[in-house]
Amino acid sequence: AQEKMRLLFEFRAQETQNIILKRLQDHEHVLHGAAGLFAASEHVDRKEWQAYIASLEIHAHYPGIQGIGFAPWVTAENKTEHVLDTRKNDFHDYAIRPAGNRGHYTPIMYLEPLGDSNLRAIGYDMFFEPALRQAMERARDSDTPALSGKTPLTQEAGTQTQARTLLFLPVYKNGMPHGTI
């Protein structure tokens, strides 16, 4: 009886592992599709991003995904230009948060579906959060998807927060080599 229980446990554990791996692979495919949107365009604007994400029907096909976003690499030198462009084209009160001077930033610029909670995340510098920074650096340096450690999401500020993980895939400028860091 103990051997049967052990075998059943191992079977169910393997089955659960396979389900989790399949879900993560599905999420990777979504990110690769989003990277393809950037590869096929000179500039992806908010309306293009919204249309692409809407076409995925994430709530129907990818349950559990809270949002799919894009965060550009912003240097200290082009921070002011980035903020002014975003204010002019998208959000009049846009700012990179938390405030402060750093060498570079990765503010959330596009995040869909853009409901109230995801709207609160726009402008948040994910590179400021250590668990997110580590995952972004791994993804950037390896040119592969990287899962973050557990972290509270900024859009849940003021509510009961739950720890979440984020999956990152780097998007490089068109025509730039990927072979080295």
Side-chain angles (χ1 to χ4, degrees):
Q2 281 186 323
E3 181 63 15
K4 279 178 97 173
M5 287 178 59
R6 185 186 65 75
L7 290 172
L8 180 60
F9 174 80
E10 287 178 5
F11 173 78
R12 289 194 175 150
Q14 184 63 50
E15 189 175 50
T16 301
Q17 181 180 354
N18 291 342
I19 290 168
I20 293 168
L21 288 174
K22 169 75 167 86
R23 172 85 46 106
L24 287 172
Q25 288 170 343
D26 289 346
H27 293 189
E28 282 184 29
H29 292 151
V30 168
L31 293 182
H32 280 289
L37 176 66
F38 281 90
S41 178
E42 284 296 315
H43 173 75
V44 175
D45 64 24
R46 183 169 305 284
K47 287 184 182 184
E48 290 172 304
W49 184 257
Q50 287 173 328
Y52 172 74
I53 300 304
S55 74
L56 294 175
E57 300 178 0
I58 61 171
H59 293 301
H61 300 293
Y62 304 98
I65 292 180
Q66 300 289 312
I68 303 168
F70 172 73
W73 182 263
V74 178
T75 62
E77 293 79 28
N78 67 0
K79 176 184 175 188
T80 301
E81 179 184 352
H82 166 78
V83 169
L84 292 175
D85 284 349
T86 305
R87 285 180 181 172
K88 183 174 92 175
N89 296 317
D90 298 310
F91 298 106
H92 301 304
D93 58 351
Y94 176 82
I96 295 176
R97 306 179 326 276
N101 294 319
R102 297 180 284 282
H104 45 266
Y105 311 81
T106 58
I108 299 170
M109 190 166 161
Y110 302 152
L111 184 57
E112 295 294 329
L114 191 60
D116 286 339
S117 79
N118 281 348
L119 185 59
R120 285 192 292 272
I122 299 296
Y124 181 74
D125 177 15
M126 292 187 291
F127 225 61
F128 187 78
E129 176 67 39
L132 301 181
R133 173 192 291 239
Q134 290 171 0
M136 285 188 283
E137 288 174 336
R138 276 194 327 274
R140 177 198 65 198
D141 295 349
S142 67
D143 192 18
T144 60
L147 191 63
S148 75
K150 291 193 309 185
T151 183
L153 297 183
T154 185
Q155 60 263 49
E156 293 180 338
T159 65
Q160 256 187 343
T161 60
Q162 296 180 18
R164 304 276 167 74
T165 59
L166 278 71
L167 183 63
F168 293 96
L169 180 73
V171 174
Y172 302 100
K173 288 183 182 179
N174 288 338
M176 294 300 291
H178 300 208
T180 66
I181 292 175

